[in-house]
Every structure is written in C-alpha cells, then in structure tokens.
Short mmCIF file of all heavy atoms in Angstrom, two decimals:
data_model
loop_
_atom_site.label_atom_id
_atom_site.label_comp_id
_atom_site.label_asym_id
_atom_site.label_seq_id
_atom_site.Cartn_x
_atom_site.Cartn_y
_atom_site.Cartn_z
N ALA Q 598 1.19 -6.35 -15.35
CA ALA Q 598 0.84 -6.81 -14.00
C ALA Q 598 1.98 -6.53 -13.03
O ALA Q 598 1.74 -6.13 -11.88
CB ALA Q 598 0.51 -8.30 -14.03
N VAL Q 599 3.22 -6.71 -13.47
CA VAL Q 599 4.38 -6.44 -12.61
C VAL Q 599 4.49 -4.95 -12.31
O VAL Q 599 4.70 -4.54 -11.16
CB VAL Q 599 5.68 -6.95 -13.27
CG1 VAL Q 599 6.90 -6.45 -12.51
CG2 VAL Q 599 5.67 -8.47 -13.33
N VAL Q 600 4.33 -4.11 -13.34
CA VAL Q 600 4.41 -2.65 -13.13
C VAL Q 600 3.30 -2.20 -12.18
O VAL Q 600 3.54 -1.40 -11.26
CB VAL Q 600 4.31 -1.90 -14.48
CG1 VAL Q 600 4.27 -0.39 -14.23
CG2 VAL Q 600 5.48 -2.26 -15.37
N ALA Q 601 2.09 -2.70 -12.39
CA ALA Q 601 0.97 -2.34 -11.51
C ALA Q 601 1.24 -2.80 -10.08
O ALA Q 601 0.89 -2.11 -9.11
CB ALA Q 601 -0.32 -2.96 -12.02
N ALA Q 602 1.89 -3.97 -9.93
CA ALA Q 602 2.22 -4.48 -8.60
C ALA Q 602 3.26 -3.60 -7.92
O ALA Q 602 3.19 -3.37 -6.70
CB ALA Q 602 2.73 -5.91 -8.71
N ILE Q 603 4.22 -3.10 -8.67
CA ILE Q 603 5.24 -2.20 -8.11
C ILE Q 603 4.59 -0.91 -7.61
O ILE Q 603 4.89 -0.41 -6.52
CB ILE Q 603 6.33 -1.90 -9.15
CG1 ILE Q 603 7.13 -3.16 -9.44
CG2 ILE Q 603 7.26 -0.78 -8.67
CD1 ILE Q 603 8.10 -3.03 -10.61
N VAL Q 604 3.66 -0.37 -8.42
CA VAL Q 604 2.92 0.81 -7.99
C VAL Q 604 2.09 0.50 -6.75
O VAL Q 604 2.02 1.30 -5.80
CB VAL Q 604 2.03 1.34 -9.13
CG1 VAL Q 604 1.17 2.51 -8.64
CG2 VAL Q 604 2.87 1.77 -10.32
N ALA Q 605 1.44 -0.67 -6.74
CA ALA Q 605 0.64 -1.07 -5.57
C ALA Q 605 1.51 -1.20 -4.33
O ALA Q 605 1.10 -0.79 -3.23
CB ALA Q 605 -0.07 -2.40 -5.87
N PHE Q 606 2.70 -1.75 -4.49
CA PHE Q 606 3.60 -1.90 -3.35
C PHE Q 606 3.97 -0.53 -2.78
O PHE Q 606 3.90 -0.31 -1.57
CB PHE Q 606 4.86 -2.65 -3.79
CG PHE Q 606 5.87 -2.81 -2.67
CD1 PHE Q 606 5.70 -3.78 -1.70
CD2 PHE Q 606 6.98 -1.97 -2.59
CE1 PHE Q 606 6.61 -3.93 -0.67
CE2 PHE Q 606 7.90 -2.11 -1.57
CZ PHE Q 606 7.70 -3.09 -0.60
N GLY Q 607 4.37 0.38 -3.65
CA GLY Q 607 4.71 1.72 -3.19
C GLY Q 607 3.54 2.40 -2.52
O GLY Q 607 3.69 3.06 -1.47
N THR Q 608 2.35 2.24 -3.08
CA THR Q 608 1.14 2.83 -2.50
C THR Q 608 0.87 2.28 -1.11
O THR Q 608 0.56 3.03 -0.18
CB THR Q 608 -0.07 2.57 -3.41
OG1 THR Q 608 0.22 2.97 -4.75
CG2 THR Q 608 -1.29 3.35 -2.92
N GLY Q 609 0.97 0.97 -0.99
CA GLY Q 609 0.70 0.35 0.31
C GLY Q 609 1.67 0.76 1.38
O GLY Q 609 1.29 1.03 2.53
N ILE Q 610 2.95 0.87 1.03
CA ILE Q 610 3.98 1.22 2.01
C ILE Q 610 3.80 2.65 2.52
O ILE Q 610 3.93 2.92 3.71
CB ILE Q 610 5.39 1.03 1.42
CG1 ILE Q 610 5.65 -0.45 1.12
CG2 ILE Q 610 6.45 1.58 2.36
CD1 ILE Q 610 5.58 -1.35 2.33
N VAL Q 611 3.49 3.60 1.63
CA VAL Q 611 3.37 5.00 2.06
C VAL Q 611 2.03 5.30 2.71
O VAL Q 611 1.91 6.26 3.48
CB VAL Q 611 3.63 5.97 0.90
CG1 VAL Q 611 5.02 5.78 0.34
CG2 VAL Q 611 2.59 5.84 -0.20
N SER Q 612 1.01 4.49 2.43
CA SER Q 612 -0.30 4.74 3.03
C SER Q 612 -0.44 4.12 4.41
O SER Q 612 -1.20 4.62 5.25
CB SER Q 612 -1.41 4.19 2.12
OG SER Q 612 -1.35 2.77 2.03
N ALA Q 613 0.29 3.04 4.66
CA ALA Q 613 0.13 2.28 5.91
C ALA Q 613 0.41 3.07 7.19
O ALA Q 613 -0.31 2.90 8.17
CB ALA Q 613 1.00 1.02 5.86
N PRO Q 614 1.46 3.94 7.23
CA PRO Q 614 1.70 4.66 8.48
C PRO Q 614 0.54 5.53 8.92
O PRO Q 614 0.29 5.71 10.11
CB PRO Q 614 2.93 5.52 8.15
CG PRO Q 614 3.61 4.80 7.05
CD PRO Q 614 2.51 4.21 6.23
N GLN Q 615 -0.21 6.06 7.96
CA GLN Q 615 -1.32 6.95 8.29
C GLN Q 615 -2.63 6.18 8.47
O GLN Q 615 -3.41 6.47 9.38
CB GLN Q 615 -1.49 7.99 7.18
CG GLN Q 615 -2.51 9.07 7.48
CD GLN Q 615 -2.49 10.17 6.43
OE1 GLN Q 615 -1.82 10.07 5.42
NE2 GLN Q 615 -3.22 11.24 6.68
N LEU Q 616 -2.88 5.19 7.62
CA LEU Q 616 -4.14 4.47 7.66
C LEU Q 616 -4.08 3.18 8.47
O LEU Q 616 -5.11 2.59 8.76
CB LEU Q 616 -4.59 4.15 6.22
CG LEU Q 616 -4.78 5.36 5.30
CD1 LEU Q 616 -5.18 4.91 3.91
CD2 LEU Q 616 -5.80 6.33 5.87
N GLN Q 617 -2.87 2.72 8.79
CA GLN Q 617 -2.61 1.49 9.51
C GLN Q 617 -2.95 0.27 8.64
O GLN Q 617 -3.54 0.38 7.57
CB GLN Q 617 -3.35 1.44 10.84
CG GLN Q 617 -2.94 2.58 11.79
CD GLN Q 617 -3.48 2.41 13.18
OE1 GLN Q 617 -4.60 1.95 13.38
NE2 GLN Q 617 -2.67 2.76 14.17
N VAL Q 618 -2.54 -0.89 9.12
CA VAL Q 618 -2.64 -2.12 8.33
C VAL Q 618 -3.83 -2.93 8.81
O VAL Q 618 -3.92 -3.29 9.99
CB VAL Q 618 -1.35 -2.96 8.45
CG1 VAL Q 618 -1.45 -4.21 7.59
CG2 VAL Q 618 -0.14 -2.13 8.03
N SER Q 619 -4.72 -3.22 7.90
CA SER Q 619 -5.91 -4.04 8.22
C SER Q 619 -6.44 -4.65 6.94
O SER Q 619 -6.11 -4.19 5.84
CB SER Q 619 -6.99 -3.17 8.87
OG SER Q 619 -7.57 -2.30 7.92
N PRO Q 620 -7.27 -5.69 7.05
CA PRO Q 620 -7.85 -6.29 5.84
C PRO Q 620 -8.69 -5.32 5.03
O PRO Q 620 -8.89 -5.51 3.83
CB PRO Q 620 -8.72 -7.43 6.41
CG PRO Q 620 -8.08 -7.78 7.72
CD PRO Q 620 -7.58 -6.48 8.26
N GLY Q 621 -9.19 -4.25 5.66
CA GLY Q 621 -10.01 -3.29 4.95
C GLY Q 621 -9.25 -2.17 4.27
O GLY Q 621 -9.85 -1.33 3.59
N LEU Q 622 -7.93 -2.13 4.44
CA LEU Q 622 -7.13 -1.06 3.86
C LEU Q 622 -7.27 -1.00 2.35
O LEU Q 622 -7.46 0.08 1.77
CB LEU Q 622 -5.65 -1.25 4.25
CG LEU Q 622 -4.65 -0.30 3.58
CD1 LEU Q 622 -4.92 1.14 4.00
CD2 LEU Q 622 -3.21 -0.69 3.94
N GLY Q 623 -7.19 -2.14 1.70
CA GLY Q 623 -7.23 -2.17 0.25
C GLY Q 623 -8.56 -1.70 -0.31
O GLY Q 623 -8.60 -0.92 -1.27
#
C-alpha cells in the first residue's frame, strides 16, 4: 500500500500541471 501510494503521489504531481487539479482528476 505504501509503495502504491508513492507511485500514486508521483503520478498525481506530474499529471496535475497538464490536467489541472479537480475532484474528477483521479
């Protein structure tokens, strides 16, 4: 769960500048 969370964190940080932050991002 921790490893998956680290991957999720990295994914969210690099995707946000292009897709922007919203409840529907995930």
Side-chain angles (χ1 to χ4, degrees):
V599 170
V600 175
I603 292 171
V604 175
F606 178 79
T608 308
I610 294 300
V611 299
S612 66
Q615 187 172 8
L616 302 178
Q617 300 190 322
V618 182
S619 71
L622 173 64

